[in-house]
Amino acid sequence: CAVVGWEYVNKQVNTEISQQITFTAWCNSHLRKAGTQIENIEEDFRDGLKLMLLLEVISGERLAKPERGKMRVHKISNVNKALDFIASKGVKLVSIGAEEIVDGNAKMTLGMIWTIILRFAIQDISVEETSAKEGLLLWCQRKTAPYKNVNIQNFHISWKDGLGFCALIHRHRPELIDYAKLRKDDPMTNLNTAFDVAEKYLDIPKMLDAEDIISTLRPDEKAVMTYVSCYYHAFSGKQKAETAANRICKVLAVNQENEQLMEDYEKLASDLLEWIRRTIPWLENRMPENTMQAMQQKLEDFRDYRRLHKPPKVQEKCQLEINFNTLQTKLRLSNRPAFMPSEGKMVSDINNAWGNLEGAEKGYEEWLLNEIRRLERLDHLAEKFRQKAAIHEAWTEGKEDMLQKRDYETASLSEIKALLKKHEAFESDLAAHQDRVEQIAAIAQELNELDYYDSPSVNARCQRICDQWDALGALTQKRSEALQRTEKLLETIDQLYLEFAKRAAPFNNWMEGAMEDLQDTFIVHTIEEIQGLSTAHEQFKATLPEADKERQAILGIHNEIAKIVQTYHVNMAGTNPYTTINPQEINTKWDKVRQLVPQRDQALIEEHARQQNNERLRRQFANQANVIGPWIQTKMEEIGRISIEMHGTLEDQLTHLRQYEKSIVNYKPKIDQLEGDHQLIQEALIFDNKHTNYTMEHIRVGWEQLLTTIARTINEIENQILTRDAKGISQDQLNEFRASFNHFDRKRTGIMDAEDFKTCLISMGYNLGENEFSRIMSIVDPNRMGIVTFQAFIDFMSRETADTDTADQVMASFKVLAGDKNYILADELRRELPPDQADYCIARMAPYTGPDAVPGALDYMSFSTALYGESDL
């Protein structure tokens, strides 16, 4: 117990000695301003004279006149005057009386001096809403935070290695100490270096002893605090100017960055609108081409536009919206007026122009496909018209001359009968060709309705056929009447010739129709259609045996006629008077039909293979589209949930979203593969697909919306980070804001309607009238959409909970740099600000015209208010 008691006494003695050294040096640092000092703090304050002088120096005020007598009563009176002055400053003196000071009580004297130091050197220190001891400690921690091996937690053992003192000096005057050469294991050198430099260059006397600090287990807190407070006061003036300059630099940097963002937005918007202006007329051009090749070239040009030209512009549009939102967020955070783009360059204007572009684009693609279908149909009809017209013209060749013959005038009775029967057969044949003429006219009419480019020549040819047909009808009627007039004069006819003619004519017409059908071109789009043609062809082939029997029967009639002529020596000159059809012609046409059947088989087989390939392309595209379409929809829904349900810090959320965006972008090769399949389908002229409801247009739009949505979500998080950093909002506050927003976002859409937002504000303690709520809605919903986004909610809450720079603060900072003058000089700006920002201010400040103006004076007041718009004037 005796040893412990002795250690306690020894510690108290060391503490008093340390305080005596430090407090004596501190008092002398102020008394020397009055031309005096003290040697012994216990003895020299006993008469109260130097104590009163010390208070006058540190307070800047005059005390009551001191007593100059040497008696004890005079000394007590002087000390009481000093103690009364200290008490008048709001300091409570506990157990400290004038008698103890006059008697030289060391403990009371040191307690009184410590009270004075606390009141006049430490109490007024204020750092971030903390004052006195806590403020001084926070100031030390902030200033030494960048230095390794320095960890200031108190005013005793944290300073034993001397690095804390050296770090404070180096932070404010780096030229005085080479901090990199200091070592933590050499506290003596560190302490002496700091004490010597502070005394020589900072006018701070040595108040501490290096050996005493090192040897003492716990240096005296009051002594260390007193000495550190001298550092604070020595550097506070420089810190004030530094703070003012930093504030101005910060404001100017924000303004310069915002101006650059505005210029970038204007240029990007102009370029995008100009591209849209040039592109829409091209997409609205509906001038059709006359050939399939020209229209397919138009389709290829449109594919190049969708594949090569439009995607970069989609990205530019998305980036433009992101830049605009980022700029508006930065302007709100820095209390600047909102950015209003030039007329016609608002985001809404660009969206309207883009909508017009996409409308023209959709209509253009539909028009291209319809035109290709129309030209395909026209080519088919034109070829069919030419085939039927050629067959008909071949049939009518010589018919007019034949009908105009007057051979019946010199014919015998049998010949007349033959001519009459022949004419009846011709009328039957003529009636059979009526359908073909009507078909030719119908095809010509359809070509006209479909605006076929060579309609004039088609119409002229059709008109010739119709005129010729009318002439044939008239001539036929005229010859029939002539033959009937002479029929009464003619009687004999060979019935077999007539029977041959009657059976040969329809059979010949059937063969011509069969040849025409077998050579007729066809166009199909599905396997079912080609299968229908194949079925019809097989049915036709099934009729060939019966047709061959009919041919054999007709040839049998002719053989019988020949037999009769030969048997009875009839003078028929070897010809059938009732028809021009002969067995050779029938056999030739029959052989032609037999030859065309396998050719038709091969054509149907090739078309069936082509339709099978088309069906494969349809299924190939559908298989991918049915996966990609739902995938895009799922990702869109996931992004919506992620934006509402994200947890963790904003940086973690941003990292997660960027990883999510990367996974989406990695899906792009599948989109490109689907584009390739779509191109194959279009090149194959496939216009429908029953295996999927997704078109390439759906996939493209969904993909573009997915990329835009994830980019906007990332931009919202980036803006939230900007808001948090600019407003000093903690992560817990942001989490609380998001929890409140998500709670009242009942529809989980990422937005609140006006009623939900009002309920949210009331739940947070706002007393809202209609006018106040209207004012708040004008802030969070300037476009009056009736909704509140999460970013607008964060901006409003951050404005309610954080401070920002104002025009008055910037003006006060300029006044510090100007030395309290109402104007500032260019040299003062260049001395305190970086060169680029000093030039920025000089170029924009108006000349000062006040009564105290000097040459070169600049008006910083109007410049400060202009930075924040007219609302702060």
Side-chain angles (χ1 to χ4, degrees), residues 503-571:
R503 296 183 69 174
F507 183 76
N508 181 67
N509 191 51
W510 175 86
M511 288 193 297
E512 288 180 350
M515 288 189 292
E516 181 180 348
D517 292 337
L518 290 171
Q519 296 179 88
D520 188 18
T521 59
F522 56 85
I523 177 170
V524 295
H525 297 95
T526 64
I527 289 181
E528 290 77 10
E529 292 177 0
I530 190 63
Q531 289 174 344
L533 289 178
S534 298
T535 301
H537 183 62
E538 292 299 322
Q539 292 173 352
F540 167 76
K541 289 196 297 183
T543 64
L544 289 178
E546 288 297 326
D548 189 47
K549 290 181 180 179
E550 178 66 14
R551 181 182 68 85
Q552 294 293 340
I554 293 172
L555 292 178
I557 293 173
H558 181 270
N559 292 335
E560 187 175 355
I561 292 172
K563 184 178 180 181
I564 293 174
V565 170
Q566 184 178 5
T567 302
Y568 297 102
H569 304 286
V570 177
N571 186 18

Side-chain angles (χ1 to χ4, degrees), residues 83 93-98 100-101 107-109 111-113 115:
L83 296 179
L93 298 171
V94 180
S95 301
I96 299 177
E100 286 85 357
I101 305 302
K107 184 175 182 181
M108 293 300 177
T109 302
M112 177 190 67
I113 296 303
T115 301

Side-chain angles (χ1 to χ4, degrees), residues 244-277:
N246 289 339
R247 183 182 296 276
I248 292 173
C249 290
K250 174 185 175 184
V251 172
L252 295 180
V254 169
N255 220 54
Q256 289 172 315
E257 182 182 359
N258 290 343
E259 288 182 358
Q260 184 62 45
L261 287 174
M262 293 177 189
E263 293 176 3
D264 293 344
Y265 175 87
E266 290 284 335
K267 184 178 184 305
L268 189 58
S270 298
D271 293 345
L272 185 58
L273 287 171
E274 176 61 20
W275 178 81
I276 293 174
R277 185 191 65 79

Side-chain angles (χ1 to χ4, degrees), residues 741 744-746 748-753 756 787-790:
F741 185 92
F744 289 95
D745 178 17
R746 296 181 173 89
R748 295 296 183 267
T749 59
I751 57 174
M752 287 192 291
D753 57 31
D756 289 342
I787 60 174
V788 179
T789 65
F790 180 67

Side-chain angles (χ1 to χ4, degrees), residues 203-223:
D203 198 27
I204 300 175
K206 290 185 179 180
M207 299 182 185
L208 301 173
D209 182 77
E211 292 183 357
D212 184 43
I213 293 177
I214 295 172
S215 61
T216 304
L217 183 63
R218 177 187 172 100
D220 181 70
E221 185 179 55
K222 296 179 181 179

Side-chain angles (χ1 to χ4, degrees), residues 335-338 807 865-873:
N335 282 346
R336 271 40 169 211
T865 56
L867 286 175
Y868 288 86
E870 295 183 358
S871 61
D872 285 334
L873 287 176

Side-chain angles (χ1 to χ4, degrees), residues 256-274 316-329 331 338-353:
Q256 289 172 315
E257 182 182 359
N258 290 343
E259 288 182 358
Q260 184 62 45
L261 287 174
M262 293 177 189
E263 293 176 3
D264 293 344
Y265 175 87
E266 290 284 335
K267 184 178 184 305
L268 189 58
S270 298
D271 293 345
L272 185 58
L273 287 171
E274 176 61 20
E316 287 180 14
K317 177 177 176 292
C318 178
Q319 188 61 45
L320 188 71
E321 294 178 0
I322 291 173
N323 291 350
F324 182 82
N325 293 335
T326 301
L327 175 59
Q328 297 294 41
T329 298
L331 290 173
F339 169 59
M340 288 297 295
S342 303
E343 184 178 356
K345 297 179 182 178
M346 295 288 291
V347 172
S348 59
D349 297 327
I350 294 172
N351 287 333
N352 290 337

Side-chain angles (χ1 to χ4, degrees), residues 576-626:
N576 190 332
Y578 303 113
T579 181
T580 60
I581 300 172
N582 55 60
Q584 183 181 0
E585 182 179 353
I586 291 175
N587 287 329
T588 299
K589 291 182 178 180
W590 176 257
D591 293 338
K592 181 65 175 176
V593 170
R594 297 292 299 270
Q595 181 183 357
L596 290 174
V597 167
Q599 295 178 2
R600 185 72 166 186
D601 289 336
Q602 183 62 32
L604 290 172
I605 291 172
E606 292 174 356
E607 182 61 24
H608 189 271
R610 190 177 76 86
Q611 289 302 323
Q612 285 182 325
N613 183 62
N614 289 352
E615 185 66 8
R616 181 186 61 79
L617 291 177
R618 288 188 183 97
R619 292 182 181 275
Q620 180 175 316
F621 176 87
N623 290 338
Q624 295 188 72
N626 289 337

